[in-house]
Amino acid sequence: MEGGIRMSKKRKKNKSLSREIGLEIGAICGKHFLKLEHLHYGYWTEDMDVEIFNLHIAQEKYVDLLISHIPEGAKIILDVGCGMGQISRKLLDRGYKVDCVSPSAYLAECTRNLLGDEPTIFECFYEQLETDKRYDVVLFSESFQYIPPKDAVAKTLSILNPGGHMLICDIFQTEAQGRSSLSGGHKLKNFNAVMKDAEDAMELATDVDITENTAPTIDIECDLFRNVGLPVMGLVEKLMHSRHPWLTKLIMWKAQKKIDRMHKKYLGGDRTGENFKKFKSYRLFLYRKK
Ligand SMILES: C[S@@+](CC[C@H](N)C(=O)[O-])C[C@H]1O[C@@H](n2cnc3c(N)ncnc32)[C@H](O)[C@@H]1O
């Protein structure tokens, strides 16, 4: 039994590590090839053409939307899962005091380079954060999905000033029936149950559904995989095969399950903006601590 617990903890740790590495790769590629400064879906408005070179504009619009929901009078903000620090940069430029949480050493370093020494960057998982500081706003921009909701809410309550706010902008799972290769997000139903349990301590101030405005990014991501990711992977395999045929065969054999899963995920045909709207609900929630 103990072995089983140790095993599942190890698996959980490995999963967190792969996720962090995935985010870091995304950050490096997005920044260098597409000038993307953020790691979120962005916010598409009707007047925009849905194409990859507009994603950075959608991302800026999303940040503007987030900032427009920061309550008046807030002075100090904790940016949980700060990515490369760009949202914090904007907050600092607008006169807020900001601290950050980043479990990724690479992303923490990017953030430090961008923000300088003034903000404290807590290099840890939010669940493990220990601080005596108190905040007017705790912000989760697409980071809430990685943290067990109960832990996130309990930690947030413990570090918010009275009257302070928890601002969440993230994906949640709807109750739509059927299978979907779209992963990510807590079940909305479970999140609502956690917030119901916390209703003596927190009240809902704002709930905006921005699923329609985030869904186009899924179509872009899938298109990118099909038209860039797959051909590049094929060429790398061809090159490796010409130099080290046996080693390549071995690697491909070892990785086949993962490759099949990736093909199914991106080429299975169900990873579309339309399906995103069915299986996901992208919400901006603002809760006020009583
Ligand atoms: C999709 S990125 C979003 C980054 C940024 N907030 C943005 O909107 O561009 C998710 C972020 O959550 C962070 N993260 C993942 N698990 C976390 C945890 N348990 N505690 C705090 N941050 C976490 C990642 O390191 C990453 O910075």
Side-chain angles (χ1 to χ4, degrees):
M1 182 64 186
E2 215 183 65
I5 291 172
R6 223 179 289 135
M7 188 65 173
S8 76
K9 271 190 183 160
K10 192 175 165 200
R11 217 173 280 150
K12 212 169 150 190
K13 203 172 159 195
N14 284 345
K15 209 172 158 194
S16 295
L17 185 68
S18 336
R19 210 167 43 204
E20 281 308 310
I21 291 176
L23 283 168
E24 288 169 20
I25 294 173
I28 293 168
C29 294
K31 190 167 178 188
H32 290 280
F33 297 126
L34 299 165
K35 294 195 184 342
L36 300 179
E37 306 279 7
H38 301 276
L39 290 173
H40 51 71
Y41 276 60
Y43 182 90
W44 297 86
T45 45
E46 271 179 13
D47 56 328
M48 294 173 77
D49 289 333
V50 177
E51 58 166 274
I52 187 80
F53 294 109
N54 283 337
L55 183 54
H56 72 283
I57 300 172
Q59 290 189 326
E60 289 305 325
K61 288 194 183 208
Y62 166 94
V63 179
D64 290 342
L65 177 85
L66 263 189
I67 294 181
S68 74
H69 281 88
I70 292 176
E72 229 171 89
K75 291 189 174 63
I76 177 158
I77 299 173
L78 181 66
D79 181 2
V80 178
C82 60
M84 293 185 277
Q86 289 291 344
I87 297 180
S88 287
R89 179 70 266 161
K90 284 213 163 184
L91 292 170
L92 284 166
D93 292 345
R94 294 197 188 193
Y96 295 105
K97 279 186 178 304
V98 180
D99 286 338
C100 301
V101 179
S102 175
S104 151
Y106 170 76
L107 295 176
E109 189 55 28
C110 293
T111 302
R112 211 167 282 118
N113 291 339
L114 186 71
L115 308 184
D117 292 334
E118 195 197 319
T120 301
I121 300 170
F122 299 102
E123 233 177 275
C124 63
F125 290 99
Y126 184 56
E127 308 86 299
Q128 293 156 356
L129 173 69
E130 283 179 20
T131 178
D132 293 334
K133 286 179 107 172
R134 295 294 174 262
Y135 296 90
D136 297 324
V137 176
V138 175
L139 167 67
F140 298 87
S141 166
E142 264 181 49
S143 55
F144 195 79
Q145 58 182 290
Y146 301 112
I147 310 167
K150 237 182 178 173
D151 298 349
V153 170
K155 176 66 69 183
T156 302
L157 276 169
S158 73
I159 60 170
L160 269 181
N161 283 320
H165 289 79
M166 172 171 81
L167 178 53
I168 300 171
C169 208
D170 213 333
I171 302 163
F172 292 86
Q173 295 177 38
T174 65
E175 285 181 68
Q177 298 298 306
R179 284 173 69 83
S180 157
S181 69
L182 293 158
S183 55
H186 297 302
K187 287 188 176 152
L188 189 55
K189 195 175 156 193
N190 294 353
F191 171 71
N192 284 334
V194 169
M195 295 319 296
K196 176 101 184 90
D197 285 347
E199 69 184 359
D200 287 346
M202 273 190 164
E203 64 191 358
L204 181 64
T206 309
D207 172 4
V208 190
D209 189 331
I210 58 168
T211 315
E212 283 281 341
N213 309 85
T214 48
T217 301
I218 284 288
D219 290 322
I220 286 183
E221 176 211 61
C222 212
D223 200 48
L224 201 62
F225 180 78
R226 202 175 292 131
N227 296 319
V228 182
L230 265 187
V232 168
M233 272 161 59
L235 287 172
V236 169
E237 186 196 335
K238 205 168 156 185
L239 182 70
M240 279 169 59
H241 199 270
S242 69
R243 306 248 167 110
H244 312 283
W246 286 107
L247 182 65
T248 308
K249 270 191 188 155
L250 182 70
I251 293 173
M252 292 307 287
W253 173 73
K254 278 288 271 179
Q256 200 54 53
K257 262 194 189 158
K258 277 212 166 116
I259 295 172
D260 288 349
R261 237 181 283 138
M262 216 167 8
H263 277 225
K264 202 169 159 206
K265 182 170 168 183
Y266 289 99
L267 303 177
D270 75 329
R271 205 174 167 81
T272 61
E274 273 315 303
N275 265 344
F276 182 84
K277 289 186 231 169
K278 179 175 165 197
F279 290 103
K280 305 289 169 185
S281 183
Y282 199 119
R283 303 289 266 274
L284 182 151
F285 287 119
L286 183 68
Y287 282 88
R288 183 182 168 277
K289 182 177 171 181
K290 290 181 180 172

